[in-house]
Amino acid sequence: MASSGRGGAGNIVPQSSAASPIDNLETPSIKSPKYTTGRGGSGNIANNNPADPEEARRSQDVGPALRRYSENESHFGRGGAANTIKLSPEEVQRAKEENARIEREAKEREGKPAPSNADKVKGLAEKGKDMLRGRK
């Protein structure tokens, strides 16, 4: 008998039907005319180019979400005033510095330059205008 999952009678199977090693772990190519990229949303739907199946695969790769330090009041547990943490100005500054370091290192791993402060300051309206004007 083999056990899988967290427990319970439904997670016990005969040994012969337990998972066996898989020989072919190749990622299949996308065959549909459209595919999704990123984490969701209608802006993340792209046309598939059958001549370059790797393009679709590359655009679907999403890295893990980075763990960032809280830079303001945080809540934890089930709620209530006793489950609130208010950071001191020194802790806020340290969190901002750590978050900048984390972001910089992540961009370096991806081979992309870290965003400048000017890029971070640009608001949603400005980004929308740039998109409509064909700028990045």
Side-chain angles (χ1 to χ4, degrees):
M1 298 300 264
S3 175
S4 62
R6 292 182 178 220
N11 292 324
I12 297 177
V13 295
Q15 187 69 35
S16 61
S17 67
S20 60
I22 300 172
D23 295 330
N24 181 3
L25 293 177
E26 261 184 55
T27 303
S29 61
I30 298 170
K31 295 172 181 48
S32 63
K34 295 193 181 288
Y35 62 91
T36 59
T37 64
R39 296 190 189 269
S42 61
N44 293 326
I45 296 176
N47 291 320
N48 191 10
N49 179 2
D52 187 8
E54 285 303 309
E55 176 188 4
R57 180 58 47 216
R58 282 189 306 273
S59 64
Q60 284 192 316
D61 290 340
V62 177
L66 297 177
R67 169 67 172 106
R68 291 186 172 83
Y69 291 90
S70 177
E71 297 177 9
N72 52 29
E73 189 173 285
S74 297
H75 302 273
F76 61 94
R78 294 181 181 247
N83 294 327
T84 303
I85 298 174
K86 185 166 173 77
L87 301 176
S88 70
E90 295 83 19
E91 290 172 319
V92 170
Q93 182 60 35
R94 199 172 2 182
K96 286 181 179 182
E97 290 168 1
E98 277 299 304
N99 288 340
R101 181 190 61 78
I102 290 168
E103 189 172 320
R104 190 172 51 252
E105 289 175 359
K107 295 294 181 186
E108 288 170 3
R109 279 192 302 273
E110 293 175 11
K112 299 176 185 174
S116 67
N117 282 343
D119 291 337
K120 291 181 182 177
V121 172
K122 189 183 288 189
L124 184 61
E126 287 300 315
K127 289 179 184 178
K129 289 178 193 175
D130 286 348
M131 186 180 77
L132 291 172
R133 294 178 183 144
R135 294 187 225 150
K136 287 192 175 190

